């Protein structure tokens, strides 16, 4: 565990909008909250989707996500609590549990499954979809599992603990870096009354999602189970958060691609033709 001195900001971003997710189910009937989808894909470019899942009822998660394809983007699964096994068509297999992350670049295509390895207890976490630039959409698939201990962490003088999944924050480099989209992905644990600041490039779109307690950004309260979309004021050089009670949240930012987004379920490309090609390739068994 590192300690890190916090950046002093000139000006913090503010909250543009609060979003309440939509309860839905996916896979073979996994209950989840879809926080980012549809029109927000352009507002929050390069992020395509955020699902939050949290349940202690096995009926909500036990069926998991049997074999399904992806093409054209990256999936980042962050498991706060629980145990999931993933397998893909290239013969890879791995575990994801308590504080671990799976970062998968679907590229030109994978078929994989994500199945719980627990019959009871809590399953809680997030799946974030990060778009790939047009020139990388057909790249070779890649993935890596990070156990909880592989995620760099630091603590501030205010006793805020920050897990740096991607990008870098207050001088601490995260588990994953990406050119082009330059994603930042932090999990932030704040004691009641604490404050936390991190710099954010003015070019980046950014949002946070509070999953415990409540915070404030400037004058705007952000309660639990809400996404706050951060403003893009060009003169703001980061964001300052204040915990109005003990709070946990993720903070996500990335550089927009500014390319057309055409999504058909698990395929996200730039044109309708590329979607047809993805369907053809999938149906004819040309995914890895
Ligand atoms: Co998947």
């Amino acid at each position: 565990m590192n300690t890190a001195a916090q950046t002093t900001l000139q000006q913090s971003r503010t909250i543009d909008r609060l979003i309440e997710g939509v309860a839905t189910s996916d896979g073979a009937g996994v209950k989840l909250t879809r926080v980012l989808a549809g029109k927000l894909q352009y507002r929050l470019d390069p992020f395509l989707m955020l699902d939050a899942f949290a349940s202690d009822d096995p009926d909500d998660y036990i069926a998991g996500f049997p074999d399904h394809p992806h093409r054209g983007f990256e999936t980042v699964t962050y498991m706060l609590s629980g145990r999931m096994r993933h397998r893909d068509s290239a013969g890879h297999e791995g575990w994801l549990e308590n504080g671990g992350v799976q970062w998968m670049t679907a590229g030109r295509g994978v078929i994989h499954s994500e199945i719980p390895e627990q019959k009871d207890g809590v399953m809680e976490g997030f799946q974030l979809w990060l778009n790939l630039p047009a020139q990388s959409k057909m790249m070779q698939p890649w993935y890596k599992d990070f156990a909880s201990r592989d995620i760099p962490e630091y603590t501030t003088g205010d006793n805020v603990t920050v897990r740096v999944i991607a990008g870098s924050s207050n001088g601490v480099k995260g588990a994953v870096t990406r050119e082009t989209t330059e994603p930042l992905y932090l999990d932030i644990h704040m004691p009641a009354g604490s404050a936390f600041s991190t710099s954010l490039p003015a070019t980046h779109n950014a949002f946070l999602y509070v999953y415990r307690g409540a915070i404030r950004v400037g004058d705007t309260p952000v309660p639990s189970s809400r996404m706050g979309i951060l403003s893009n004021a060009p003169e703001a050089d980061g964001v300052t958060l204040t915990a109005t009670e003990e709070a946990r949240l993720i903070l996500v930012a990335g550089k927009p691609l500014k390319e057309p987004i055409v999504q058909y379920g698990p395929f996200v490309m730039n044109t309708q033709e590329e979607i047809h090609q993805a369907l053809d390739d999938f149906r004819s068994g040309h995914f890895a």
Side-chain angles (χ1 to χ4, degrees), residues 151-271:
I151 308 292
E153 275 187 26
Y154 67 89
T155 303
T156 71
D158 247 11
N159 247 347
V160 175
T161 300
V162 183
R163 313 193 73 218
V164 189
I165 296 167
S168 67
S169 170
N170 289 310
V172 178
K173 190 165 178 263
V176 174
T177 54
R178 281 282 177 275
E179 292 174 14
T180 315
T181 52
E182 300 173 14
L184 175 73
Y185 191 162
L186 307 179
D187 179 16
I188 305 170
H189 299 188
M190 304 180 72
S194 63
F196 171 74
S197 295
T198 193
S199 60
L200 294 172
T203 49
H204 281 35
N205 287 325
F207 66 91
L208 48 82
Y209 182 85
V210 177
Y211 64 92
R212 293 278 193 291
I215 65 161
R216 221 164 24 75
V217 182
D219 296 328
T220 311
V222 186
S224 194
S225 305
R226 292 292 185 288
M227 174 167 77
I229 297 179
L230 297 179
S231 63
N232 288 61
E235 60 280 9
D237 55 349
V239 66
T240 299
L241 317 172
T242 310
T244 40
E245 53 188 272
E246 186 178 348
R248 296 187 175 199
L249 67 141
I250 56 171
L251 172 65
V252 177
K255 190 174 176 190
L257 292 167
K258 297 178 177 164
E259 293 173 348
I261 300 166
V262 183
Q263 176 172 9
Y264 182 78
F267 309 124
V268 184
M269 303 301 290
N270 303 109
T271 68

Side-chain angles (χ1 to χ4, degrees), residues 65 68-70 75 104 112 114 127 129:
F65 302 86
H68 60 278
H70 294 286
T75 67
M104 184 183 81
H112 77 158
E114 300 153 294
Q127 189 169 81
W129 288 10

